[in-house]
Amino acid sequence: MKKADILESIKFGIAATAIVFPITSTIFNYIVSINRVEGASMQPTLNPTDISSRDWVLLRKLVRPESVQRGDIVCIISPRDPRELLIKRVIALEGDLVSSKKRPLRIPEGHCWLESDNHNSRAINLDSNIFGPVSLGLVEGRATHIVWPPHRLQRLSSRPPSPPPASPYDGAEECDFDLD
């Protein structure tokens, strides 16, 4: 191989990297990503068996706050630690009445109520029962598919949650969780 051919190959490699890297980076930062699910809080939907097998989900990141629906599984920035991501199911949206562990309350504008699927988990589920309504601005994306392990490959259902039991209260108190 001639020296000119080697230099031409190097130039091509640099040019290809300069084009492919920013496009790939943009796709995985802003459009779609694949994330590993930790813990048992979303069992049986995610990580249904022992801890040695973890689900990986496809996360669609182009999610407008107004497109979030009850039943969606969303990835959020933790309201307690912005370095941590959580995956939970949307139970209620703004204006809905929920029965929190404290008392019934109405979800404020621009917020949603998130809960874990596993209500029998021994661990404390970090969800809206702990930190209250979550700002829709913290939603990082919607989980749409399980992509790993191969035997679990499937589309995730946005099944609507079971309706909450009827409240004996005529009206709900406004939310008094610390939203700041």
Side-chain angles (χ1 to χ4, degrees):
M1 196 175 226
K2 295 182 198 175
K3 190 175 183 179
D5 290 339
I6 293 171
L7 287 174
E8 192 63 34
S9 294
I10 290 172
K11 285 181 190 176
F12 177 78
I14 291 171
T17 301
I19 293 170
V20 170
F21 180 76
I23 292 171
T24 304
S25 180
T26 300
I27 288 170
F28 283 110
N29 284 322
Y30 300 105
I31 299 172
V32 62
S33 68
I34 297 174
N35 296 63
R36 186 171 132 173
V37 178
E38 299 287 337
S41 71
M42 287 301 292
Q43 286 180 343
T45 308
L46 300 171
N47 294 342
T49 58
D50 63 73
I51 60 171
S52 64
S53 176
R54 296 284 181 228
D55 287 341
W56 289 73
V57 295
L58 182 68
L59 195 67
R60 203 174 86 209
K61 292 186 155 192
L62 292 176
V63 177
R64 296 180 325 273
E66 63 272 9
S67 73
V68 174
Q69 298 178 358
R70 287 169 208 82
D72 285 350
I73 297 174
V74 295
C75 181
I76 63 161
I77 298 169
S78 171
R80 287 195 163 175
D81 182 356
R83 296 168 298 180
E84 184 178 14
L85 294 176
L86 305 173
I87 189 160
K88 303 295 173 194
R89 188 175 298 275
V90 177
I91 301 300
L93 297 169
E94 62 181 67
D96 290 349
L97 179 65
V98 294
S99 296
S100 75
K101 291 182 178 177
K102 295 180 180 183
R103 67 181 181 283
L105 59 88
R106 193 162 307 281
I107 305 300
E109 184 177 340
H111 290 73
C112 62
W113 188 266
L114 303 175
E115 290 187 4
S116 304
D117 280 2
N118 186 353
H119 297 284
N120 299 322
S121 176
R122 290 184 199 128
I124 295 173
N125 288 324
L126 292 177
D127 61 19
S128 289
N129 286 297
I130 300 295
F131 42 70
V134 175
S135 170
L136 289 169
L138 294 177
V139 173
E140 281 285 295
R142 180 182 295 117
T144 61
H145 295 79
I146 297 172
V147 296
W148 190 262
H151 70 276
R152 298 253 314 129
L153 185 66
Q154 64 184 287
R155 181 177 172 84
L156 288 169
S157 162
S158 283
R159 66 173 168 79
S162 303
S167 171
Y169 297 97
D170 195 29
E173 295 182 33
E174 290 300 316
C175 174
D176 71 349
F177 283 94
D178 183 15
L179 299 177
D180 294 322

